[in-house]
Each structure stands twice: as C-alpha cells, then as structure tokens.
Amino acid sequence: MEGWIAVTVSGLVTVSLLKPSGQVLTSTESLCRLRGRVALADIAFTGGGNIVVATADGSSASPVQFYKVCVSVVNEKCRIDTEILPSLFMRCTTDLNRRDRLPAITHLKFLARDMSEQVLLCASSQTSSVVECWSLRKEGLPVNNIFQQLSPAVGDKQPTILKWRILSATNDLDRVSAVALPKLPISLTNTDLKVASDTQFYPGLGLALAFHDGSVHIVHRLSLQTMAIFYSSAAPRSVDEPAIKRPRTTGPAIHFKAMQLSWTSLALVGIDNHGRLSMLRISPSMGHSLDAGLALRHLLFLLEYCMVTGYDWWDILLHVQPSMVQSLVEKLHEEYTRQKAELQQVLSTRILAMKASLCKLSPCAVTRVCEYHAKLFLIAASSTLKSLLRPHVLNTPDKSPGDRLTEVCAKITDVDIDKVMINLKTEEFVLDMNTLQALQQLLQWVGDFVLYLLASLPNQGSPLRPGHSFLRDGASLGALRELMVVIRIWGLLKPSCLPVYTATSDTQDSMSLLFRLLTKLWICCRDEGPTSEPDEALVDECCLLPSQLLIPSLDWLPVSDGLVSRLQPKQPLRLHFGKPPALPGSATSLQLDGLIRAPGQPKMDHLRRLHLGAYPTEACKACTRCGCVTMLKSPNKTTAVKQWEQRWIKNCLCGGLWWRMPLSYP
C-alpha cells in the first residue's frame, strides 16, 4: 500500500496508509517501552517487507538504537508492531582519548534503502569528525561442552545471535556538514561492473562527504578510503582536474548543508550555506587516466542499467562527448537486439528516447533526433488508435481487433487499400462520430507524414534530411500502412475526420495513391526478406507527387538548446531560478531546413498537433529534454482525446519532465 512513516522527537513512530478508495489509515505507537529523545533517525526495508528504524539521541555517549517495525492492516485498521534489535556504541566513544572530543552524533544513515544491515555513523565536535561504517552480522554462539553432552542436538545446530561489527572507520577529519549516499546496489558495483574492477575507481562505489572547509570527498562506501577530493574556490575548477588543496581563508567558508547523488553517482547536487544550488560533475574515472575504449564501455554499461531499471540517465549525458555518440548509439542497439523479443517490446520506446537524448549531444545527428521523436510519436499514436477498436461480440477468445489488423495487413500485400479493407471485420471499427472528429489532428499527422516520406524517397541519399531512416524501417512503414487502412474505414463513417490533402485534380483519390506507393516501399524492406532497393518506377512515381499533392512542411522539434550540451566543454555555468538561460547559440549546430525557428514563427502543440500561433495565448508546458511543447489544459473533452493526453501527464513522449512556460517565452 502507498503510505509514509515518521519518527517523532519523543520516540513515537507514526504510519499513514492510503487505501485505493482514498481513505487514510493512521496509527501511532511507541518504538519501545522506555521512550527517549530522538534527534536523528533513518529507515531501511527488509526483504520480508518490514521496516527497520535507526535512532540516536544526538549524544555519542548514548547507544544507537535499532527497531523492526511491522505494519499490517487488521479489520480495516492500521496496526504497528515493534521489536527491539541489537544496538551499538560508536567505536570512537570507547576510546578514552577521543571520548570527550566527539560529543555529538551528527549523521545517521543506512547505506542503502533496501539494506538494513549496514549503517553509516558520524560523530563530530566543533572542529572535527569521525565516520564509521557498521554491519549487522549473524554470529555463532559458543556452547559449553557440558550442554553439548546433555543435548547432542544443540551441538549439531549451533545457536546464533545478531551482532553489530565495525567494518571501517576514518581518522580525525574536518567537521562533516553533509552526507550523500549512492543509489546503485553494492552487488552491482562489486560484481557486474567490470570497469570498476579494472580501475578500482568509480563513483557508484563511494559516498560523498562535505566538510565545513568547502571540500567534498568521495570515499569508498565500505572501506571509507578517499577516492577523490573536490575543493571549492572563487574560480571553480573542473572535477576531472587533479585537485590541489587550497589554502584556508579567513571567515566562514562556503560549504554544502545538504547533498544528493544522482542515480548512477556521476553527478552531485547540493545546497550550500548561502542558499545556492550547485551541481558537480563526477568523472567516471574519478580524475584518473582511462582508456577511451574502457570509458566507452563504462558509459554503455550505465546506459544499459538505466534502460532496464527505468532510472533517468541525464547524469550519464554529462560525460558523453560528441565523438562518442555514434559508437554509443550503435553498441546500445546491438545490446538491445540481443535481448528476448518480449524484453525488446518492453524497452522499445525507452531505447528510442535514450538514442534521441544521445544524438542531441552531437550537432551531426540533429536529424536523427527528429526521427527518433517521430518514431516515438508513431508508436504512441498507433497503440492509442488501435486500442479504441472493440470486438463486435464481447468475451470472444479470438485475437483483439488491433492484433487482427496487424495480421491481415502483414499477410495481404495488395497495393489496393480497398482490397485490404475487405478482409477486416469493419463492424469492429465503428466509433462515435464525435470521437472520430476529435481524432482528426492525429489522423492528419499520419497522412502528412506518409506523404512527406514518399516525397523524400527520391532524395534518400541525403541522411541530413529528417525521415531518412524511415525509408528502410519496415516496422514503421508497416505501422503507417495499418493506420492508413484504419483511417480509410473511419472515413466511410465520418468523411470529415479524413486527412486533408491539397490536390491538383478533383477526381484524384489521394489516400489510395499514397497507400499504393507506401505498400511498394514497405515490400522492399519488410522483415520477411532481405532489404531491396526501390525500383525506378516507384522512385519516378514519388518524383511526381509534388505535382499531384501539396507536400506539407512538418513541424519538427527545434534544435537542441538544453543545458546538457552546453556542459560538454566542462566550463562552469551560472543560472538563476525563474529566468531562462541566456546562453549563446551553438556555433556548430547545422542550419538545416525545417529545424531552425525564426522569431515570430507559428508554434505547434507537438502532442495534440494543433497550431498555437506565433504568440500563444494559452498556458503551455515544455519538455526539459527534447523541447516538445503542449498546452496545459485540453481544448477537447472527448474520452478518446483524454486517453491520449493522460499518457503525457507526468512525462513527455521522450520520458523528460515538464516545465511551465511563461506566455512571453520565445
């Protein structure tokens, strides 16, 4: 169940659970019978679904307490059961020489949310700190020989107890101001990450400690050995450069008060004591020299990890240079094709989004970004439109109408759209007239895109033209062919939902013409046989299209203006909250037709395919990753349109997050 847990300063634990109906169940219990003050607390989860709570009263002379909290629902009421686990005293407090020098425990954190057996503790004074890493282990309890003789069974199975053992501890350090823990599992960084075992340096193996002198240390999460050091200064240096200890200055130093590591530990975000938010890039090699091939394999592994787990990969992009993009995209595709068909289907859209974000880093791959985004849009539109189809008879064990549509279109290679349509159960395509009219903008995009691709076929030798890869993509051409058949059937029910074409002849059947040419192109590159070149007759017919139909100018996504591409030279940037980044345009960006936005040019809602005008009056949101723009509020209340728009409430088509655009934003 969804919910949250809180520990109060007086030693109470409170749990609130959210039921599917919206009702909130709340319960409060004491962690133990003898309640005491709680100054620090952290939680972790066990494999059995229980919660482990660690608490400390802030004094190093007091023990660090651990409790197992079991949450359950009994008779529609939330129930909390607590159990005391073994406690520990910090090692530094047992040393009589340092006992009074480190009076306070300032940081208490489990090393991972799913590992309640390892905890990180920090004891501090006004000037120094000591960090210790502890592990909870099951140890055998020795049994006296007398009891073994009285009960032989006891000797066969030795009793065990849980006991905290210290793994590592640091010497006296400067006073720690903040701690950030990695999110990668220890098992992953120790066994699967071959690059880490080769170099012994990888941020995912370590945690970050910030000190009051302004420095940040990356230390190994278990041994606590220093792996890298960053020193702040008036003129910030790159994290990749060898750090040189700066001299101490008079007055309070700027230091982090709170920090957080990214998912793959390649970036560190912190808030300092002046209220400023800073981001540090952490090199995968931790500043050590690394072979180019090894660095490429390292980034490839992390991209695969994010692709499978669903974590955001923005921090990996900070370390990708334009020269790496081509190799990373190719190798990522090779690893993807090695997976099972079921897994490929699950990851199909995520790998496209990942390829698009990689290609945005290279000015030579701008057109491929547009193609990947168009392919994501095609996949989403195809699945949405086919999901509207319902079987004529309910509870039929047969395939769904969408599956039958795919099967029939793949089997029948006839170039006549009406002959393909005859083989379908047209009663399954009946929709409400208002729904069909509301979908017209999506259907118009499908028709315009097919016309654009076919008109681009004579110029297929130029990879700088967006849409080049579609001309050899049998799966995408097949999906477009299926949608053309669906649109043809819906046009019989509601002619006004059909795509609008500007033709030179009033008697010309534009959809039949485009379907015939699309089918011929699809036959050349479908999966069943080897890819063949389009014959001259097909190319000649596509050459005549501009004289028969007005070729639309598709509204592609704008050229990348994100911050990630500006960070590649590794120069620090200063930004202000609430103000658009006033950054100079990239001099290396290619001036490609259709990709450059002129001031005052009409804008497009890239998800609804609606024209917004040169200066939109409706509130809009934009994707922070790909630049996709869409309106905040829907102008249509149809159920089918809501189903389409609900897909993009949280994330964009590419998986990026939204930000609200001011009306005056260019």
Side-chain angles (χ1 to χ4, degrees):
M1 300 179 68
E2 297 288 339
W4 57 273
I5 180 172
V7 178
T8 70
V9 70
S10 61
L12 293 176
V13 57
T14 299
V15 174
S16 292
L17 303 177
L18 180 63
K19 298 182 66 176
S21 61
Q23 180 185 1
V24 179
L25 303 179
T26 303
S27 181
T28 302
E29 283 289 341
S30 175
L31 283 172
C32 62
R33 292 182 178 180
L34 298 177
R35 289 167 55 185
R37 178 178 180 271
V38 175
L40 302 169
D42 197 19
I43 65 169
F45 303 96
T46 65
N50 296 319
I51 302 169
V52 176
V53 177
T55 64
D57 62 3
S59 172
S60 61
S62 302
V64 179
Q65 303 280 0
F66 296 86
Y67 308 92
K68 183 170 73 172
V69 178
C70 306
V71 182
S72 58
V73 177
V74 180
N75 296 329
E76 296 298 319
K77 292 184 179 180
C78 180
R79 176 178 173 181
I80 301 176
D81 296 311
T82 61
E83 178 184 341
I84 298 178
L85 297 178
S87 59
L88 65 89
F89 283 92
M90 291 190 65
R91 172 69 62 85
C92 60
T93 62
T94 61
D95 187 351
L96 297 179
N97 296 326
R98 295 194 297 179
R99 189 170 191 174
D100 299 329
R101 289 169 43 201
L102 303 167
I105 297 179
T106 54
H107 296 87
L108 165 63
K109 289 182 179 293
F110 286 104
L111 285 184
R113 278 282 173 259
D114 56 350
M115 289 189 62
S116 58
E117 299 86 11
Q118 293 178 339
V119 66
L120 185 81
L121 301 170
C122 176
S124 304
S125 65
Q126 292 296 327
T127 57
S128 62
S129 295
V130 169
V131 179
E132 298 178 357
C133 182
W134 289 74
S135 176
L136 183 64
R137 298 177 180 177
K138 187 178 292 186
E139 297 183 358
L141 189 64
V143 180
N144 193 285
N145 293 333
I146 298 177
F147 297 102
Q148 292 183 6
Q149 295 174 1
L150 294 176
S151 178
V154 175
D156 297 337
K157 186 178 180 181
Q158 187 179 18
T160 59
I161 59 171
L162 293 174
K163 196 169 185 179
W164 286 99
R165 292 289 186 183
I166 189 168
L167 292 178
S168 55
T170 64
N171 296 322
D172 285 356
L173 306 170
D174 195 7
R175 181 175 170 82
V176 175
S177 61
V179 178
L181 297 174
K183 297 180 176 61
L184 281 178
I186 294 179
S187 59
L188 176 71
T189 55
N190 282 351
T191 58
D192 298 339
L193 195 57
K194 300 300 188 295
V195 179
S197 61
D198 294 340
T199 64
Q200 296 300 321
F201 293 100
Y202 170 60
L205 294 171
L207 52 91
L209 300 176
F211 296 92
H212 277 255
D213 64 354
S215 64
V216 178
H217 292 208
I218 306 295
V219 300
H220 195 280
R221 66 167 80 182
L222 296 180
S223 66
L224 298 181
Q225 294 180 351
T226 302
M227 301 165 63
I229 305 176
F230 168 79
Y231 290 97
S232 63
S233 62
R237 293 186 294 271
S238 170
V239 180
D240 293 336
E241 297 178 4
I244 303 176
K245 189 172 183 180
R246 67 178 179 86
R248 291 183 178 271
T249 57
T250 58
I254 299 176
H255 58 272
F256 286 124
K257 300 291 289 184
M259 297 189 304
Q260 190 75 257
L261 282 167
S262 60
W263 282 111
T264 60
S265 299
L266 296 184
L268 177 70
V269 178
I271 299 178
D272 60 29
N273 53 337
H274 288 193
R276 290 178 295 195
L277 181 70
S278 303
M279 187 188 75
L280 307 180
R281 173 180 18 211
I282 304 178
S283 170
S285 61
M286 304 296 288
H288 296 75
S289 59
L290 199 63
D291 178 69
L294 195 60
L296 201 66
R297 284 196 293 119
H298 193 151
L299 295 176
L300 178 63
F301 174 85
L302 293 176
L303 287 172
E304 294 173 12
Y305 175 76
C306 290
M307 182 174 62
V308 173
T309 58
Y311 294 144
D312 203 331
W313 56 91
W314 67 270
D315 53 338
I316 305 175
L317 302 179
L318 298 174
H319 305 275
V320 176
Q321 298 300 314
S323 58
M324 300 180 179
V325 170
Q326 182 69 20
S327 298
L328 282 176
V329 171
E330 292 177 355
K331 293 183 180 298
L332 194 64
H333 184 74
E334 291 176 4
E335 294 296 329
Y336 171 77
T337 54
R338 292 176 187 171
Q339 309 304 319
K340 296 181 180 179
E342 297 82 2
L343 185 58
Q344 288 188 27
Q345 185 177 3
V346 172
L347 303 177
S348 58
T349 55
R350 197 174 298 160
I351 190 174
L352 287 175
M354 193 170 284
K355 289 179 180 179
S357 60
L358 285 170
C359 290
K360 287 177 77 74
L361 302 178
S362 174
C364 301
V366 175
T367 56
R368 297 174 67 183
V369 179
C370 299
E371 292 175 351
Y372 288 135
H373 194 276
K375 192 170 294 186
L376 285 170
F377 192 89
L378 173 60
I379 293 174
S382 176
S383 61
T384 299
L385 295 177
K386 289 162 66 174
S387 68
L388 297 175
L389 308 178
R390 294 291 183 266
H392 184 61
V393 180
L394 297 179
N395 299 325
T396 55
D398 201 359
K399 297 179 180 179
S400 66
D403 294 336
R404 277 197 297 272
L405 172 67
T406 303
E407 184 178 347
V408 169
C409 290
K411 182 179 179 181
I412 300 178
T413 59
D414 201 297
V415 296
D416 190 342
I417 189 171
D418 294 324
K419 292 183 179 179
V420 177
M421 188 175 61
I422 292 174
N423 294 272
L424 294 169
K425 299 177 181 179
T426 53
E427 63 270 11
E428 296 179 340
F429 293 78
V430 177
L431 292 181
D432 180 67
M433 296 300 173
N434 293 332
T435 300
L436 290 177
Q437 190 60 47
L439 297 173
Q440 201 277 332
Q441 298 299 333
L442 287 181
L443 306 185
Q444 182 69 47
W445 179 86
V446 174
D448 289 346
F449 194 65
V450 171
L451 177 56
Y452 172 85
L453 290 180
L454 293 173
S456 303
L457 184 60
N459 300 323
Q460 59 179 318
S462 174
L464 298 180
R465 186 179 177 88
H468 174 263
S469 65
F470 278 89
L471 302 177
R472 291 291 181 271
D473 188 352
S476 297
L477 295 177
L480 289 170
R481 188 168 175 266
E482 296 171 14
L483 293 180
M484 292 286 283
V485 175
V486 174
I487 294 172
R488 182 73 165 192
I489 299 175
W490 285 344
L492 300 176
L493 302 172
K494 183 76 171 176
S496 60
C497 78
L498 287 172
V500 178
Y501 298 103
T502 304
T504 57
S505 173
D506 294 336
T507 60
Q508 177 177 276
D509 190 348
S510 301
M511 285 206 66
S512 295
L513 172 63
L514 294 178
F515 185 83
R516 179 167 58 84
L517 299 179
L518 179 64
T519 301
K520 290 182 179 180
L521 180 60
W522 167 70
I523 292 175
C524 296
C525 56
R526 59 179 178 162
D527 299 334
E528 282 76 4
T531 303
S532 59
E533 291 295 325
D535 55 13
E536 294 184 2
L538 176 59
V539 176
D540 292 341
E541 286 188 272
C542 291
C543 286
L544 296 175
L545 276 178
S547 62
Q548 297 170 315
L549 296 169
L550 179 64
I551 308 301
S553 57
L554 294 184
D555 193 285
W556 303 99
L557 289 179
V559 176
S560 173
D561 58 353
L563 291 178
V564 173
S565 58
R566 313 302 177 105
L567 295 173
Q568 289 177 341
K570 300 183 180 179
Q571 296 297 324
L573 294 177
R574 278 188 192 279
L575 305 172
H576 295 273
F577 282 107
K579 295 182 180 180
L583 300 175
S586 176
T588 58
S589 62
L590 299 179
Q591 304 296 313
L592 300 174
D593 293 338
L595 302 181
I596 303 301
R597 293 286 194 283
Q601 181 178 351
K603 296 177 176 58
M604 170 73 74
D605 186 320
H606 294 106
L607 294 182
R608 298 182 179 91
R609 310 311 304 180
L610 296 174
H611 293 277
L612 301 175
Y615 302 97
T617 57
E618 294 291 330
C620 296
K621 58 184 179 181
C623 176
T624 57
R625 177 176 293 161
C626 69
C628 176
V629 176
T630 185
M631 288 184 288
L632 275 176
K633 296 181 179 179
S634 174
N636 198 309
K637 304 301 181 183
T638 311
T639 304
V641 176
K642 288 183 179 179
Q643 178 184 347
W644 169 257
E645 294 172 348
Q646 284 294 325
R647 288 171 169 256
W648 325 118
I649 292 295
K650 183 179 179 181
N651 296 97
C652 174
L653 197 69
C654 67
L657 299 175
W658 299 107
W659 70 283
R660 180 164 181 167
M661 300 174 60
L663 291 178
S664 60
Y665 195 77

